[in-house]
Amino acid sequence: MMESFEDILNQYEPMIHKIIHTLKIYQNKDDYFQIGVISLWEAWKQFNPEKGKFLNFAYTSVKGRILNELTKNNSREERTQFAKDEYWALIEDQNTLDPLEFDTILGLCQPLTDKQKRWVFYTVFNGMSITDIAKQEGVSPSAVKLWRKGATEKLRQILSN
């Protein structure tokens, strides 16, 4: 019968560290060491002495598992890119509307119909064109023009009072 896993781990721990060093892994070494320990344990459980030496089987198993994990992590990193801090410093605040202006416009829109209010908000807050609003709402551009006409007439009347 083979030795206990604790004995195997004590004996082959330097091999795991050597594989990590050989593969030039310098980040997350503890994670890769743990992967190495797990694959060593799996190799210990699966080893058949009739098929060769344990050292060869363990080395191949551990290195193969660590390489697989490296490949998986590298492809994940390639798919995921994070913007650097300098990028965020250059981005302007898109919401330049003063909260008081928002409240003022909201107050002026009280007598408008829901569709007229939507036209005001899409136009003022989102800067959308009639065509864009029509697409967003699933209506024709002429319907949006009617909303605009009704809204401007009511707003003119409110502002003239």
Side-chain angles (χ1 to χ4, degrees), residues 23-133:
L23 295 174
K24 295 178 177 38
I25 297 172
Y26 58 92
Q27 291 180 331
N28 306 323
K29 284 183 180 181
D30 292 339
D31 293 341
Y32 287 102
F33 178 76
Q34 191 64 33
I35 291 165
V37 170
I38 292 169
S39 60
L40 179 66
W41 179 79
E42 289 173 347
W44 176 70
K45 294 296 268 184
Q46 297 171 356
F47 178 65
N48 181 353
E50 296 173 4
K51 294 194 175 190
K53 294 183 178 180
F54 180 72
L55 173 63
N56 297 339
F57 184 66
Y59 183 86
T60 305
S61 298
V62 170
K63 188 171 182 180
R65 175 71 66 84
I66 290 175
L67 281 170
N68 285 343
E69 191 66 26
L70 269 175
T71 303
K72 189 167 55 174
N73 288 338
N74 285 340
S75 66
R76 184 181 308 124
E77 284 179 21
E78 287 173 5
R79 288 191 313 264
T80 309
Q81 292 186 0
F82 297 101
K84 295 182 176 150
D85 290 337
E86 298 86 36
Y87 170 79
W88 296 111
L90 295 174
I91 298 295
E92 291 182 33
D93 184 9
Q94 298 297 318
N95 188 11
T96 56
L97 187 65
D98 185 330
L100 293 175
E101 288 181 64
F102 180 81
D103 290 341
T104 303
I105 293 171
L106 189 63
L108 290 172
C109 290
Q110 290 305 320
L112 302 180
T113 67
D114 286 342
K115 291 177 182 178
Q116 292 167 347
K117 287 178 188 175
R118 279 188 251 157
W119 173 81
V120 171
F121 284 98
Y122 282 135
T123 304
V124 174
F125 299 121
N126 298 336
M128 294 172 70
S129 68
I130 288 175
T131 309
D132 293 337
I133 296 170

Side-chain angles (χ1 to χ4, degrees), residues 119 122-123 127-137 139-149:
W119 173 81
Y122 282 135
T123 304
M128 294 172 70
S129 68
I130 288 175
T131 309
D132 293 337
I133 296 170
K135 286 179 187 174
Q136 177 73 28
E137 290 292 316
V139 296
S140 68
S142 58
V144 176
K145 288 178 185 176
L146 287 174
W147 301 352
R148 177 184 65 185
K149 182 180 179 193

